[in-house]
Amino acid sequence: MDVFLDPANRQAYLDGFLTILKLTGASALLALALGMLLAACRVSPVPVLRALGAGWVHLFRNTPLTLVILFCFFGLYSAVGVEFSEDIHVNNYWLAVTGLSAYTAAFVCEAIRSGINTVPVGQAEAARALGLSFSQNLRLIILPQAMRSVVAPLGSILIALTKNATIAGVIGVAEASSAMKALIESNGDQTIAIFAVFALTFVALLVPVGYAFSALANRLVVRR
């Protein structure tokens, strides 16, 4: 544990986890917004939108996240020229957020769609009978109920996203796993201690999140 007595090593550790939290926060918000849009496409009466939503889900759910992140760097940035900032570190951060968001949105979409399927069909039919359009029906009647039933699955997706954020290191984002690797390379005799500290930090971050989402799900559950 002496390795963490060095201020530089301790700062690297803290910066790595701070980056994980930033990646998770930005990606979670974007993935939730995109996932809701994709879920709307999946249940849309328009065949083209249903095909678009299904195609996105099948593509990203069956593609390794590492390939998605690498595509964002070598495809979007290097080949196409998509650039978020002249600062390479900021640019890589947002490329990683793009990949994480696109990948996670597929899982968010399916979670929300499963919630939509739990809403009684009669409620949608009653809304249509009152003259509500598909978008109004979805926004005012269906989604508010569906979201209450998928709190726990969304919590599991958030936990998975937090762990997946470590893959951003493959394109040079200095997150927790990159910091751990650097510390192990410079302090090889303390490998087990370094690994234990990083692993336990993830546990300390994510276990409360799991309990919090479980408690929230029980509080918001729709009883029929």
mmCIF file of all heavy atoms in Angstrom, residues 34-54 56 109 113 116 134 138:
data_model
loop_
_atom_site.group_PDB
_atom_site.id
_atom_site.type_symbol
_atom_site.label_atom_id
_atom_site.label_comp_id
_atom_site.label_asym_id
_atom_site.label_seq_id
_atom_site.Cartn_x
_atom_site.Cartn_y
_atom_site.Cartn_z
ATOM 1 N N LEU A 34 -31.161 8.971 -26.196
ATOM 2 C CA LEU A 34 -31.168 8.221 -27.447
ATOM 3 C C LEU A 34 -31.954 6.922 -27.295
ATOM 4 O O LEU A 34 -32.686 6.515 -28.209
ATOM 5 C CB LEU A 34 -29.725 7.922 -27.874
ATOM 6 C CG LEU A 34 -29.537 7.150 -29.187
ATOM 7 C CD1 LEU A 34 -30.236 7.863 -30.340
ATOM 8 C CD2 LEU A 34 -28.050 6.979 -29.492
ATOM 9 N N GLY A 35 -31.819 6.267 -26.150
ATOM 10 C CA GLY A 35 -32.551 5.020 -25.918
ATOM 11 C C GLY A 35 -34.054 5.225 -25.934
ATOM 12 O O GLY A 35 -34.808 4.398 -26.468
ATOM 13 N N MET A 36 -34.526 6.329 -25.344
ATOM 14 C CA MET A 36 -35.957 6.630 -25.372
ATOM 15 C C MET A 36 -36.435 6.887 -26.796
ATOM 16 O O MET A 36 -37.524 6.438 -27.188
ATOM 17 C CB MET A 36 -36.248 7.836 -24.477
ATOM 18 C CG MET A 36 -36.051 7.576 -23.002
ATOM 19 S SD MET A 36 -36.373 9.032 -21.959
ATOM 20 C CE MET A 36 -38.146 9.202 -22.180
ATOM 21 N N LEU A 37 -35.625 7.583 -27.579
ATOM 22 C CA LEU A 37 -35.977 7.842 -28.973
ATOM 23 C C LEU A 37 -36.038 6.534 -29.769
ATOM 24 O O LEU A 37 -36.963 6.316 -30.565
ATOM 25 C CB LEU A 37 -34.957 8.801 -29.588
ATOM 26 C CG LEU A 37 -35.180 9.193 -31.058
ATOM 27 C CD1 LEU A 37 -36.512 9.902 -31.215
ATOM 28 C CD2 LEU A 37 -34.049 10.092 -31.538
ATOM 29 N N LEU A 38 -35.060 5.663 -29.532
ATOM 30 C CA LEU A 38 -35.042 4.376 -30.226
ATOM 31 C C LEU A 38 -36.220 3.502 -29.811
ATOM 32 O O LEU A 38 -36.807 2.795 -30.638
ATOM 33 C CB LEU A 38 -33.730 3.643 -29.938
ATOM 34 C CG LEU A 38 -32.473 4.237 -30.577
ATOM 35 C CD1 LEU A 38 -31.211 3.571 -30.017
ATOM 36 C CD2 LEU A 38 -32.522 4.082 -32.098
ATOM 37 N N ALA A 39 -36.579 3.555 -28.523
ATOM 38 C CA ALA A 39 -37.735 2.793 -28.051
ATOM 39 C C ALA A 39 -39.010 3.282 -28.724
ATOM 40 O O ALA A 39 -39.883 2.484 -29.088
ATOM 41 C CB ALA A 39 -37.845 2.901 -26.536
ATOM 42 N N ALA A 40 -39.117 4.607 -28.895
ATOM 43 C CA ALA A 40 -40.269 5.158 -29.600
ATOM 44 C C ALA A 40 -40.307 4.662 -31.042
ATOM 45 O O ALA A 40 -41.379 4.345 -31.570
ATOM 46 C CB ALA A 40 -40.221 6.686 -29.558
ATOM 47 N N CYS A 41 -39.131 4.574 -31.658
ATOM 48 C CA CYS A 41 -39.062 4.045 -33.024
ATOM 49 C C CYS A 41 -39.485 2.582 -33.067
ATOM 50 O O CYS A 41 -40.181 2.144 -33.995
ATOM 51 C CB CYS A 41 -37.641 4.187 -33.573
ATOM 52 S SG CYS A 41 -37.133 5.881 -33.926
ATOM 53 N N ARG A 42 -39.066 1.819 -32.048
ATOM 54 C CA ARG A 42 -39.359 0.381 -32.013
ATOM 55 C C ARG A 42 -40.852 0.089 -31.918
ATOM 56 O O ARG A 42 -41.315 -0.950 -32.382
ATOM 57 C CB ARG A 42 -38.640 -0.261 -30.834
ATOM 58 C CG ARG A 42 -37.140 -0.312 -30.971
ATOM 59 C CD ARG A 42 -36.700 -1.472 -31.833
ATOM 60 N NE ARG A 42 -36.512 -2.679 -31.037
ATOM 61 C CZ ARG A 42 -36.523 -3.900 -31.521
ATOM 62 N NH1 ARG A 42 -36.757 -4.098 -32.795
ATOM 63 N NH2 ARG A 42 -36.318 -4.943 -30.743
ATOM 64 N N VAL A 43 -41.621 0.993 -31.296
ATOM 65 C CA VAL A 43 -43.064 0.766 -31.154
ATOM 66 C C VAL A 43 -43.875 1.682 -32.074
ATOM 67 O O VAL A 43 -45.100 1.743 -31.967
ATOM 68 C CB VAL A 43 -43.507 0.981 -29.687
ATOM 69 C CG1 VAL A 43 -42.798 -0.008 -28.773
ATOM 70 C CG2 VAL A 43 -43.253 2.414 -29.215
ATOM 71 N N SER A 44 -43.182 2.372 -32.964
ATOM 72 C CA SER A 44 -43.846 3.291 -33.874
ATOM 73 C C SER A 44 -44.704 2.545 -34.896
ATOM 74 O O SER A 44 -44.366 1.428 -35.314
ATOM 75 C CB SER A 44 -42.793 4.134 -34.606
ATOM 76 O OG SER A 44 -43.376 4.861 -35.668
ATOM 77 N N PRO A 45 -45.808 3.156 -35.344
ATOM 78 C CA PRO A 45 -46.611 2.543 -36.408
ATOM 79 C C PRO A 45 -45.971 2.685 -37.794
ATOM 80 O O PRO A 45 -46.466 2.117 -38.763
ATOM 81 C CB PRO A 45 -47.928 3.325 -36.327
ATOM 82 C CG PRO A 45 -47.549 4.654 -35.756
ATOM 83 C CD PRO A 45 -46.426 4.378 -34.800
ATOM 84 N N VAL A 46 -44.866 3.431 -37.861
ATOM 85 C CA VAL A 46 -44.182 3.644 -39.149
ATOM 86 C C VAL A 46 -43.135 2.544 -39.349
ATOM 87 O O VAL A 46 -42.174 2.463 -38.568
ATOM 88 C CB VAL A 46 -43.510 5.030 -39.193
ATOM 89 C CG1 VAL A 46 -42.832 5.254 -40.541
ATOM 90 C CG2 VAL A 46 -44.528 6.127 -38.905
ATOM 91 N N PRO A 47 -43.262 1.711 -40.380
ATOM 92 C CA PRO A 47 -42.334 0.584 -40.592
ATOM 93 C C PRO A 47 -40.871 0.999 -40.693
ATOM 94 O O PRO A 47 -39.988 0.304 -40.195
ATOM 95 C CB PRO A 47 -42.830 -0.047 -41.896
ATOM 96 C CG PRO A 47 -44.278 0.335 -41.975
ATOM 97 C CD PRO A 47 -44.353 1.701 -41.358
ATOM 98 N N VAL A 48 -40.601 2.132 -41.343
ATOM 99 C CA VAL A 48 -39.215 2.579 -41.514
ATOM 100 C C VAL A 48 -38.578 2.877 -40.161
ATOM 101 O O VAL A 48 -37.424 2.523 -39.908
ATOM 102 C CB VAL A 48 -39.151 3.830 -42.422
ATOM 103 C CG1 VAL A 48 -37.730 4.379 -42.468
ATOM 104 C CG2 VAL A 48 -39.629 3.487 -43.828
ATOM 105 N N LEU A 49 -39.329 3.528 -39.279
ATOM 106 C CA LEU A 49 -38.801 3.837 -37.948
ATOM 107 C C LEU A 49 -38.595 2.560 -37.131
ATOM 108 O O LEU A 49 -37.609 2.444 -36.399
ATOM 109 C CB LEU A 49 -39.746 4.790 -37.216
ATOM 110 C CG LEU A 49 -39.860 6.208 -37.790
ATOM 111 C CD1 LEU A 49 -40.846 7.041 -36.975
ATOM 112 C CD2 LEU A 49 -38.497 6.891 -37.824
ATOM 113 N N ARG A 50 -39.521 1.607 -37.248
ATOM 114 C CA ARG A 50 -39.345 0.338 -36.538
ATOM 115 C C ARG A 50 -38.097 -0.388 -37.020
ATOM 116 O O ARG A 50 -37.338 -0.938 -36.222
ATOM 117 C CB ARG A 50 -40.573 -0.560 -36.723
ATOM 118 C CG ARG A 50 -41.806 -0.085 -35.985
ATOM 119 C CD ARG A 50 -42.792 -1.234 -35.780
ATOM 120 N NE ARG A 50 -43.153 -1.879 -37.035
ATOM 121 C CZ ARG A 50 -44.150 -1.511 -37.809
ATOM 122 N NH1 ARG A 50 -44.903 -0.463 -37.484
ATOM 123 N NH2 ARG A 50 -44.423 -2.167 -38.926
ATOM 124 N N ALA A 51 -37.868 -0.358 -38.320
ATOM 125 C CA ALA A 51 -36.683 -1.013 -38.885
ATOM 126 C C ALA A 51 -35.413 -0.306 -38.434
ATOM 127 O O ALA A 51 -34.403 -0.949 -38.124
ATOM 128 C CB ALA A 51 -36.769 -1.031 -40.409
ATOM 129 N N LEU A 52 -35.451 1.038 -38.369
ATOM 130 C CA LEU A 52 -34.295 1.815 -37.918
ATOM 131 C C LEU A 52 -33.955 1.471 -36.472
ATOM 132 O O LEU A 52 -32.790 1.219 -36.133
ATOM 133 C CB LEU A 52 -34.585 3.306 -38.049
ATOM 134 C CG LEU A 52 -33.512 4.258 -37.502
ATOM 135 C CD1 LEU A 52 -32.214 4.109 -38.292
ATOM 136 C CD2 LEU A 52 -34.004 5.706 -37.547
ATOM 137 N N GLY A 53 -34.974 1.447 -35.608
ATOM 138 C CA GLY A 53 -34.750 1.118 -34.208
ATOM 139 C C GLY A 53 -34.223 -0.296 -34.033
ATOM 140 O O GLY A 53 -33.285 -0.532 -33.263
ATOM 141 N N ALA A 54 -34.825 -1.246 -34.755
ATOM 142 C CA ALA A 54 -34.393 -2.640 -34.644
ATOM 143 C C ALA A 54 -32.967 -2.808 -35.163
ATOM 144 O O ALA A 54 -32.164 -3.540 -34.570
ATOM 145 C CB ALA A 54 -35.345 -3.543 -35.430
ATOM 146 N N TRP A 56 -30.532 -0.564 -35.222
ATOM 147 C CA TRP A 56 -29.591 0.007 -34.243
ATOM 148 C C TRP A 56 -29.353 -0.972 -33.089
ATOM 149 O O TRP A 56 -28.224 -1.239 -32.695
ATOM 150 C CB TRP A 56 -30.148 1.320 -33.712
ATOM 151 C CG TRP A 56 -29.207 2.066 -32.819
ATOM 152 C CD1 TRP A 56 -28.823 1.720 -31.540
ATOM 153 C CD2 TRP A 56 -28.499 3.279 -33.114
ATOM 154 N NE1 TRP A 56 -27.947 2.638 -31.019
ATOM 155 C CE2 TRP A 56 -27.733 3.608 -31.964
ATOM 156 C CE3 TRP A 56 -28.464 4.129 -34.216
ATOM 157 C CZ2 TRP A 56 -26.940 4.755 -31.914
ATOM 158 C CZ3 TRP A 56 -27.673 5.262 -34.158
ATOM 159 C CH2 TRP A 56 -26.927 5.559 -33.022
ATOM 160 N N CYS A 109 -32.830 1.176 -24.833
ATOM 161 C CA CYS A 109 -33.991 1.039 -25.711
ATOM 162 C C CYS A 109 -34.785 -0.221 -25.387
ATOM 163 O O CYS A 109 -36.012 -0.180 -25.222
ATOM 164 C CB CYS A 109 -33.539 1.016 -27.173
ATOM 165 S SG CYS A 109 -34.822 0.494 -28.338
ATOM 166 N N ARG A 113 -38.493 -0.489 -23.908
ATOM 167 C CA ARG A 113 -39.508 -1.188 -24.716
ATOM 168 C C ARG A 113 -40.194 -2.277 -23.898
ATOM 169 O O ARG A 113 -41.399 -2.491 -24.008
ATOM 170 C CB ARG A 113 -38.875 -1.790 -25.972
ATOM 171 C CG ARG A 113 -39.888 -2.373 -26.954
ATOM 172 C CD ARG A 113 -39.237 -2.683 -28.282
ATOM 173 N NE ARG A 113 -38.383 -3.839 -28.197
ATOM 174 C CZ ARG A 113 -38.747 -5.081 -28.554
ATOM 175 N NH1 ARG A 113 -39.975 -5.309 -28.991
ATOM 176 N NH2 ARG A 113 -37.896 -6.068 -28.470
ATOM 177 N N ILE A 116 -42.665 -0.547 -21.833
ATOM 178 C CA ILE A 116 -43.846 -0.164 -22.629
ATOM 179 C C ILE A 116 -44.792 -1.348 -22.781
ATOM 180 O O ILE A 116 -46.018 -1.199 -22.712
ATOM 181 C CB ILE A 116 -43.404 0.371 -24.004
ATOM 182 C CG1 ILE A 116 -42.697 1.724 -23.841
ATOM 183 C CG2 ILE A 116 -44.588 0.505 -24.948
ATOM 184 C CD1 ILE A 116 -42.093 2.269 -25.115
ATOM 185 N N PHE A 134 -49.986 9.591 -31.760
ATOM 186 C CA PHE A 134 -49.042 8.580 -31.261
ATOM 187 C C PHE A 134 -48.009 9.204 -30.331
ATOM 188 O O PHE A 134 -47.727 8.668 -29.257
ATOM 189 C CB PHE A 134 -48.323 7.904 -32.438
ATOM 190 C CG PHE A 134 -47.172 7.029 -32.013
ATOM 191 C CD1 PHE A 134 -47.396 5.788 -31.441
ATOM 192 C CD2 PHE A 134 -45.857 7.462 -32.163
ATOM 193 C CE1 PHE A 134 -46.339 4.987 -31.027
ATOM 194 C CE2 PHE A 134 -44.793 6.676 -31.749
ATOM 195 C CZ PHE A 134 -45.043 5.429 -31.186
ATOM 196 N N LEU A 138 -47.653 8.390 -26.384
ATOM 197 C CA LEU A 138 -46.398 7.861 -25.848
ATOM 198 C C LEU A 138 -45.858 8.759 -24.743
ATOM 199 O O LEU A 138 -45.437 8.270 -23.683
ATOM 200 C CB LEU A 138 -45.378 7.742 -26.990
ATOM 201 C CG LEU A 138 -44.119 6.921 -26.724
ATOM 202 C CD1 LEU A 138 -44.464 5.456 -26.524
ATOM 203 C CD2 LEU A 138 -43.133 7.073 -27.876
#
